[in-house]
Amino acid sequence: MSVPSSSRSWYHTIDLPDGSTTPGWIDTRPVARLVPWPSSLRGGRCLDVGAFDGFWSFEMERRGAAEVVAIDVDDPEELDFAIDYKAAGPEHIREIRAERGPGFAEAKAALGSSAVRRNRSVYDLDPIEDGRFDVVVCGAILLHLRDPVLALERIREVCDGTLVLVELVDPILELFAPRYPSAAVRPYADQWWVTNSPGMEKMLSMGGWDVVQRCPRFLFPYGPSGPSRPDQSWLTGIAARRPGRRGILGRIWLARPRPK
Ligand SMILES: C[S@@+](CC[C@H](N)C(=O)[O-])C[C@H]1O[C@@H](n2cnc3c(N)ncnc32)[C@H](O)[C@@H]1O
């Protein structure tokens, strides 16, 4: 695999037109094939929440979106870190050169993409300033937020169509509390909570959403620069019904704003 010349660390694994692939920490390419994309994507106005290097923005554009807006928070100090991680978290992001923004700009230029990125927190989404969207992709961000339900409420304010929620689920809770809405509190330092499937559906409902589709669980594969010794347990493989396989357990939901 050939890689782009820049020495930044990449979160997303993105195929570029010159045949190179960004050496991401995670590889969301197979996950995009599992999404039951709504028909409103083609020709639609789409939002990518917490875009990082922009994989989902470029994927929606590739699948025919007319306009893509990506939002993320540029300043690591403004991310929701818990109190004992407030200094170390932003410092760590700078140290490993995983800033939000430069990777998106580099991939956007290489792809000739028209996606527009805004330095904007999900908490600040506003229909007057941001407009309204036909499709919103929200990937692996709720677990990093102090207030995921507020984030869901804010996304609802700008969504006229379908939310594609791609989120991690906790393997232990999936296996041992499969019907009880629950969350593991801070399973890893940069996370707040990881729910089980009923827990996520309860949060969606609290945020004003109706779930219209729940897809099967899957394993997010790590990318070329992912951990050599994944810290997720063998339970993830079992919960994903793929014993022996490693990755991060995830699930996709489609939801629509519940009418007020
Ligand atoms: C684990 S990454 C997921 C990236 C991408 N959405 C995906 O699904 O592959 C979480 C992203 O959410 C962003 N993020 C965290 N807090 C945010 C906030 N309050 N508003 C917008 N984005 C945020 C982070 O900067 C990071 O880019």
Side-chain angles (χ1 to χ4, degrees):
M1 180 188 74
S2 81
V3 298
S5 52
S6 82
S7 62
R8 87 177 69 269
S9 77
W10 289 86
Y11 179 77
H12 282 140
T13 306
I14 302 172
D15 293 321
L16 301 178
D18 65 359
S20 66
T21 301
T22 63
W25 187 85
I26 196 94
D27 188 357
T28 30
R29 292 173 301 175
V31 181
R33 294 193 283 273
L34 302 177
V35 174
W37 291 102
S39 56
S40 52
L41 176 72
R42 187 158 285 282
R45 184 164 192 265
C46 302
L47 175 68
D48 177 8
V49 179
F52 217 133
D53 298 326
F55 173 83
W56 291 110
S57 299
F58 307 132
E59 184 66 18
M60 287 194 283
E61 199 173 39
R62 196 177 71 78
R63 288 174 183 267
E67 184 185 349
V68 177
V69 175
I71 62 163
D72 209 324
V73 172
D74 283 353
D75 182 356
E77 309 275 345
E78 285 176 23
L79 295 170
D80 279 358
F81 286 111
I83 205 149
D84 52 351
Y85 204 59
K86 259 194 162 25
E91 200 41 51
H92 178 68
I93 287 176
R94 290 189 200 99
E95 245 171 53
I96 62 169
R97 298 196 66 229
E99 295 97 340
R100 283 59 166 150
F104 186 100
E106 193 174 327
K108 171 179 158 137
L111 290 163
S113 161
S114 313
V116 172
R117 182 182 178 283
R118 296 187 184 144
N119 172 28
R120 194 152 183 70
S121 168
V122 64
Y123 298 131
D124 298 329
L125 279 171
D126 171 4
I128 310 276
E129 280 187 49
D130 301 297
R132 307 184 69 84
F133 297 90
D134 303 298
V135 178
V136 178
V137 170
C138 181
I141 158 168
L142 297 180
L143 77 164
H144 294 293
L145 298 179
R146 182 193 306 265
D147 196 337
V149 178
L150 178 61
L152 287 168
E153 282 181 18
R154 292 285 190 264
I155 296 170
R156 181 170 177 272
E157 293 301 313
V158 299
C159 182
D160 280 333
T162 306
L163 170 65
V164 177
L165 180 69
V166 184
E167 196 48 84
L168 275 56
V169 285
D170 184 85
I172 296 172
L173 294 173
E174 284 295 279
L175 287 170
F176 300 115
R179 276 183 276 281
Y180 191 74
S182 40
V185 179
R186 208 182 183 198
Y188 295 97
D190 66 340
Q191 302 173 2
W192 288 85
W193 12 65
V194 178
T195 68
N196 60 0
S197 298
M200 182 51 68
E201 285 158 24
K202 184 69 86 178
M203 287 214 302
L204 278 162
S205 172
M206 289 159 71
W209 296 88
D210 288 332
V211 172
V212 293
Q213 192 168 344
R214 172 209 255 201
C215 302
R217 288 181 289 254
F218 63 87
L219 289 173
F220 275 101
Y222 291 103
S225 65
S228 49
R229 289 171 51 119
D231 48 15
Q232 298 262 321
S233 79
W234 50 271
L235 285 174
T236 55
I238 295 180
R241 296 179 198 277
R242 305 187 73 179
R245 296 292 293 274
R246 296 282 181 136
I248 306 176
L249 191 65
R251 190 152 220 163
I252 300 163
W253 287 268
L254 299 193
R256 297 180 74 79
R258 191 179 320 121
K260 286 184 180 165

